[in-house]
Every structure is written in C-alpha cells, then in structure tokens.
Amino acid sequence: MPFTIASSVTFEEEIKKSRFQAIAAIVENEQQVKKFLEENKDLSTTHQCWAWKIGHNVRFNDDGEPSGTAGRPILATIEGNDLTNVIVLVNRWYGGIKLGTGGLVRAYGGCAGQCLMLAEKIELIQKKQIRFSCWFNEWAILQYELTQQQIDYQESYNETGVLVEARLQIHQIDALKSKLQDITRGREQLKIIEEQRDE
C-alpha cells in the first residue's frame, strides 16, 4: 500500500558550514509541482535540488550540483519510505567548504531523509477523476453535496447547464452516482475519466 505525507514539513541542518534546508510537501499532479517550486523559489540559495514522485512518475533535478549527487539521493529517500505524491526540495547555501561527491550524496539524501522522518505517513487514498453535467437548477443541491464531502471540483457553464469535474475517493463514487441519478431522474450519468499514465 503506498503512503503519502499528512502535511508539509521542513528540516534544517548545517554540514561543514553549508546550510541545508529540506521541505517536503504533498503534490497530486505536475501543476502542483510547478506551483510548489515557484512558491519556494529562493534566489539567496546556491542550489535548489529536488525530486518528486507521483504514482509511477518521477523527476529529479541536481540544479548545478555534480550529476547524481543531489536529485537522485533525494528521490531514493522518497522511494525508500514507500512514499508517493510527494516532492522534497533541498536548498543549499554554500559555506565555502567543498563536500565532494560522496559528501553531497550523504548531505542531500540525509537531509531529505531527516525531513521525511518528521512527516506523518498516511495511507494514500486512491482517487478517481469523474465528470458529470446537470441543469442549473440541480447544481445547488449537487454542489452542496460535494462541499459536504470535502470533494475538490471545478465547474464550467454552457447554455444547457453545468459541467463538473471532480476528484473523488473510490468509496465516495457510488453515493454521488446515485445522488446524481436521483436529482436528474436518471438523465445524467457519472463518468469516470481514465487517468493518463506516463509510463
């Protein structure tokens, strides 16, 4: 069973005068990765190295450190903790003493690992993307339902009504399916959108 972290955590340490700061956060898609990296852009750092894993997809970045000394060790700590839907960013402020490749691997991997040890691990609840449409006069009831269940959704409007996309936990789908059929008297169906997998 894959795990993710319950909330964002940070960890800082100093290694041979260089300051390292790791930030771990939850991400569910590449837009969230981009947003996280933009929000945490820090021009005072010497390097901002990171790795993330979402499902089968992984990416990492050494940000100017020697190849394989930063991003990959950070990714190894994410995978070593059986985590997914997680990004770990490790900032380094260079302190004037070179660490060598082995030292860098230990520093980046170690800092990311310490950070993840502080995080509370939770079982990843599988979610599916769904889509449905309804008339304007039905939307208020369905919108209330989504809000009550704390379901993330986006709505868009056309001349006939409302088109809704949402991410649901697997166990929430059937209830919403029957609610939609009740309200629309069987006119509308809940569609599950197959997630695009980049293998």
PDB file of all heavy atoms in Angstrom, residues 29-45:
ATOM      1  N   ASN A  29      -0.293  16.383  -8.864  1.00  0.00           N
ATOM      2  CA  ASN A  29      -0.118  16.475 -10.313  1.00  0.00           C
ATOM      3  C   ASN A  29       1.017  17.457 -10.614  1.00  0.00           C
ATOM      4  O   ASN A  29       1.520  18.121  -9.712  1.00  0.00           O
ATOM      5  CB  ASN A  29      -1.423  16.920 -10.998  1.00  0.00           C
ATOM      6  CG  ASN A  29      -1.976  18.178 -10.356  1.00  0.00           C
ATOM      7  OD1 ASN A  29      -1.263  19.165 -10.162  1.00  0.00           O
ATOM      8  ND2 ASN A  29      -3.252  18.150 -10.009  1.00  0.00           N
ATOM      9  N   GLU A  30       1.384  17.539 -11.888  1.00  0.00           N
ATOM     10  CA  GLU A  30       2.541  18.371 -12.247  1.00  0.00           C
ATOM     11  C   GLU A  30       2.274  19.861 -12.073  1.00  0.00           C
ATOM     12  O   GLU A  30       3.193  20.631 -11.847  1.00  0.00           O
ATOM     13  CB  GLU A  30       3.005  18.045 -13.671  1.00  0.00           C
ATOM     14  CG  GLU A  30       3.552  16.624 -13.746  1.00  0.00           C
ATOM     15  CD  GLU A  30       4.521  16.396 -14.889  1.00  0.00           C
ATOM     16  OE1 GLU A  30       5.205  17.350 -15.292  1.00  0.00           O
ATOM     17  OE2 GLU A  30       4.582  15.244 -15.372  1.00  0.00           O
ATOM     18  N   GLN A  31       0.990  20.276 -12.160  1.00  0.00           N
ATOM     19  CA  GLN A  31       0.682  21.694 -11.901  1.00  0.00           C
ATOM     20  C   GLN A  31       1.032  22.049 -10.462  1.00  0.00           C
ATOM     21  O   GLN A  31       1.566  23.123 -10.187  1.00  0.00           O
ATOM     22  CB  GLN A  31      -0.817  22.009 -12.121  1.00  0.00           C
ATOM     23  CG  GLN A  31      -1.237  22.040 -13.572  1.00  0.00           C
ATOM     24  CD  GLN A  31      -1.718  20.661 -14.044  1.00  0.00           C
ATOM     25  OE1 GLN A  31      -1.200  19.630 -13.626  1.00  0.00           O
ATOM     26  NE2 GLN A  31      -2.698  20.637 -14.930  1.00  0.00           N
ATOM     27  N   GLN A  32       0.716  21.129  -9.540  1.00  0.00           N
ATOM     28  CA  GLN A  32       1.028  21.384  -8.122  1.00  0.00           C
ATOM     29  C   GLN A  32       2.535  21.402  -7.888  1.00  0.00           C
ATOM     30  O   GLN A  32       3.030  22.156  -7.061  1.00  0.00           O
ATOM     31  CB  GLN A  32       0.336  20.345  -7.229  1.00  0.00           C
ATOM     32  CG  GLN A  32      -1.161  20.526  -7.185  1.00  0.00           C
ATOM     33  CD  GLN A  32      -1.849  19.497  -6.303  1.00  0.00           C
ATOM     34  OE1 GLN A  32      -1.216  18.712  -5.587  1.00  0.00           O
ATOM     35  NE2 GLN A  32      -3.172  19.489  -6.346  1.00  0.00           N
ATOM     36  N   VAL A  33       3.274  20.570  -8.636  1.00  0.00           N
ATOM     37  CA  VAL A  33       4.745  20.568  -8.544  1.00  0.00           C
ATOM     38  C   VAL A  33       5.272  21.947  -8.956  1.00  0.00           C
ATOM     39  O   VAL A  33       6.081  22.563  -8.262  1.00  0.00           O
ATOM     40  CB  VAL A  33       5.355  19.475  -9.464  1.00  0.00           C
ATOM     41  CG1 VAL A  33       6.861  19.662  -9.601  1.00  0.00           C
ATOM     42  CG2 VAL A  33       5.030  18.082  -8.919  1.00  0.00           C
ATOM     43  N   LYS A  34       4.772  22.422 -10.102  1.00  0.00           N
ATOM     44  CA  LYS A  34       5.210  23.712 -10.639  1.00  0.00           C
ATOM     45  C   LYS A  34       4.917  24.837  -9.655  1.00  0.00           C
ATOM     46  O   LYS A  34       5.762  25.696  -9.382  1.00  0.00           O
ATOM     47  CB  LYS A  34       4.474  23.978 -11.957  1.00  0.00           C
ATOM     48  CG  LYS A  34       5.404  24.357 -13.097  1.00  0.00           C
ATOM     49  CD  LYS A  34       4.661  24.404 -14.404  1.00  0.00           C
ATOM     50  CE  LYS A  34       4.579  25.877 -14.806  1.00  0.00           C
ATOM     51  NZ  LYS A  34       3.910  26.117 -16.063  1.00  0.00           N
ATOM     52  N   LYS A  35       3.712  24.793  -9.092  1.00  0.00           N
ATOM     53  CA  LYS A  35       3.282  25.828  -8.141  1.00  0.00           C
ATOM     54  C   LYS A  35       4.188  25.803  -6.903  1.00  0.00           C
ATOM     55  O   LYS A  35       4.651  26.835  -6.431  1.00  0.00           O
ATOM     56  CB  LYS A  35       1.822  25.564  -7.751  1.00  0.00           C
ATOM     57  CG  LYS A  35       1.180  26.670  -6.948  1.00  0.00           C
ATOM     58  CD  LYS A  35      -0.332  26.463  -6.867  1.00  0.00           C
ATOM     59  CE  LYS A  35      -0.924  27.471  -5.913  1.00  0.00           C
ATOM     60  NZ  LYS A  35      -1.520  26.899  -4.715  1.00  0.00           N
ATOM     61  N   PHE A  36       4.461  24.593  -6.394  1.00  0.00           N
ATOM     62  CA  PHE A  36       5.314  24.448  -5.206  1.00  0.00           C
ATOM     63  C   PHE A  36       6.707  25.021  -5.484  1.00  0.00           C
ATOM     64  O   PHE A  36       7.254  25.759  -4.674  1.00  0.00           O
ATOM     65  CB  PHE A  36       5.415  22.965  -4.817  1.00  0.00           C
ATOM     66  CG  PHE A  36       6.443  22.696  -3.747  1.00  0.00           C
ATOM     67  CD1 PHE A  36       6.138  22.865  -2.399  1.00  0.00           C
ATOM     68  CD2 PHE A  36       7.737  22.288  -4.078  1.00  0.00           C
ATOM     69  CE1 PHE A  36       7.096  22.632  -1.420  1.00  0.00           C
ATOM     70  CE2 PHE A  36       8.700  22.061  -3.099  1.00  0.00           C
ATOM     71  CZ  PHE A  36       8.369  22.237  -1.759  1.00  0.00           C
ATOM     72  N   LEU A  37       7.277  24.688  -6.647  1.00  0.00           N
ATOM     73  CA  LEU A  37       8.628  25.152  -6.969  1.00  0.00           C
ATOM     74  C   LEU A  37       8.658  26.673  -7.154  1.00  0.00           C
ATOM     75  O   LEU A  37       9.609  27.333  -6.748  1.00  0.00           O
ATOM     76  CB  LEU A  37       9.175  24.436  -8.201  1.00  0.00           C
ATOM     77  CG  LEU A  37       9.478  22.939  -7.990  1.00  0.00           C
ATOM     78  CD1 LEU A  37       9.817  22.260  -9.303  1.00  0.00           C
ATOM     79  CD2 LEU A  37      10.610  22.733  -6.974  1.00  0.00           C
ATOM     80  N   GLU A  38       7.592  27.223  -7.745  1.00  0.00           N
ATOM     81  CA  GLU A  38       7.530  28.687  -7.899  1.00  0.00           C
ATOM     82  C   GLU A  38       7.423  29.371  -6.539  1.00  0.00           C
ATOM     83  O   GLU A  38       8.086  30.364  -6.271  1.00  0.00           O
ATOM     84  CB  GLU A  38       6.325  29.080  -8.778  1.00  0.00           C
ATOM     85  CG  GLU A  38       6.623  28.950 -10.269  1.00  0.00           C
ATOM     86  CD  GLU A  38       5.361  28.946 -11.128  1.00  0.00           C
ATOM     87  OE1 GLU A  38       4.267  29.296 -10.607  1.00  0.00           O
ATOM     88  OE2 GLU A  38       5.474  28.605 -12.321  1.00  0.00           O
ATOM     89  N   GLU A  39       6.566  28.805  -5.669  1.00  0.00           N
ATOM     90  CA  GLU A  39       6.353  29.417  -4.347  1.00  0.00           C
ATOM     91  C   GLU A  39       7.603  29.336  -3.474  1.00  0.00           C
ATOM     92  O   GLU A  39       7.793  30.136  -2.574  1.00  0.00           O
ATOM     93  CB  GLU A  39       5.182  28.731  -3.619  1.00  0.00           C
ATOM     94  CG  GLU A  39       3.836  29.150  -4.173  1.00  0.00           C
ATOM     95  CD  GLU A  39       2.680  28.343  -3.595  1.00  0.00           C
ATOM     96  OE1 GLU A  39       2.942  27.397  -2.808  1.00  0.00           O
ATOM     97  OE2 GLU A  39       1.526  28.649  -3.932  1.00  0.00           O
ATOM     98  N   ASN A  40       8.442  28.324  -3.724  1.00  0.00           N
ATOM     99  CA  ASN A  40       9.632  28.135  -2.882  1.00  0.00           C
ATOM    100  C   ASN A  40      10.927  28.555  -3.567  1.00  0.00           C
ATOM    101  O   ASN A  40      12.008  28.201  -3.116  1.00  0.00           O
ATOM    102  CB  ASN A  40       9.717  26.678  -2.415  1.00  0.00           C
ATOM    103  CG  ASN A  40       8.642  26.369  -1.403  1.00  0.00           C
ATOM    104  OD1 ASN A  40       8.747  26.754  -0.242  1.00  0.00           O
ATOM    105  ND2 ASN A  40       7.577  25.721  -1.841  1.00  0.00           N
ATOM    106  N   LYS A  41      10.789  29.294  -4.661  1.00  0.00           N
ATOM    107  CA  LYS A  41      11.987  29.779  -5.354  1.00  0.00           C
ATOM    108  C   LYS A  41      12.702  30.749  -4.414  1.00  0.00           C
ATOM    109  O   LYS A  41      12.084  31.639  -3.853  1.00  0.00           O
ATOM    110  CB  LYS A  41      11.577  30.484  -6.649  1.00  0.00           C
ATOM    111  CG  LYS A  41      12.750  30.696  -7.587  1.00  0.00           C
ATOM    112  CD  LYS A  41      12.244  31.064  -8.983  1.00  0.00           C
ATOM    113  CE  LYS A  41      13.390  31.275  -9.939  1.00  0.00           C
ATOM    114  NZ  LYS A  41      14.312  30.140 -10.032  1.00  0.00           N
ATOM    115  N   ASP A  42      13.984  30.537  -4.202  1.00  0.00           N
ATOM    116  CA  ASP A  42      14.736  31.368  -3.263  1.00  0.00           C
ATOM    117  C   ASP A  42      16.065  31.736  -3.915  1.00  0.00           C
ATOM    118  O   ASP A  42      16.942  30.889  -4.081  1.00  0.00           O
ATOM    119  CB  ASP A  42      14.950  30.598  -1.954  1.00  0.00           C
ATOM    120  CG  ASP A  42      15.613  31.454  -0.893  1.00  0.00           C
ATOM    121  OD1 ASP A  42      16.236  32.485  -1.235  1.00  0.00           O
ATOM    122  OD2 ASP A  42      15.520  31.094   0.292  1.00  0.00           O
ATOM    123  N   LEU A  43      16.198  32.986  -4.299  1.00  0.00           N
ATOM    124  CA  LEU A  43      17.400  33.404  -5.031  1.00  0.00           C
ATOM    125  C   LEU A  43      18.629  33.510  -4.134  1.00  0.00           C
ATOM    126  O   LEU A  43      19.748  33.634  -4.625  1.00  0.00           O
ATOM    127  CB  LEU A  43      17.142  34.737  -5.747  1.00  0.00           C
ATOM    128  CG  LEU A  43      16.018  34.680  -6.794  1.00  0.00           C
ATOM    129  CD1 LEU A  43      15.718  36.054  -7.366  1.00  0.00           C
ATOM    130  CD2 LEU A  43      16.350  33.703  -7.923  1.00  0.00           C
ATOM    131  N   SER A  44      18.433  33.428  -2.814  1.00  0.00           N
ATOM    132  CA  SER A  44      19.591  33.504  -1.913  1.00  0.00           C
ATOM    133  C   SER A  44      20.338  32.162  -1.831  1.00  0.00           C
ATOM    134  O   SER A  44      21.439  32.089  -1.323  1.00  0.00           O
ATOM    135  CB  SER A  44      19.143  33.933  -0.511  1.00  0.00           C
ATOM    136  OG  SER A  44      18.475  32.860   0.149  1.00  0.00           O
ATOM    137  N   THR A  45      19.720  31.099  -2.335  1.00  0.00           N
ATOM    138  CA  THR A  45      20.353  29.771  -2.226  1.00  0.00           C
ATOM    139  C   THR A  45      21.432  29.603  -3.292  1.00  0.00           C
ATOM    140  O   THR A  45      21.400  30.269  -4.322  1.00  0.00           O
ATOM    141  CB  THR A  45      19.327  28.636  -2.459  1.00  0.00           C
ATOM    142  OG1 THR A  45      18.802  28.777  -3.779  1.00  0.00           O
ATOM    143  CG2 THR A  45      18.203  28.658  -1.459  1.00  0.00           C
TER     144      THR A  45
END
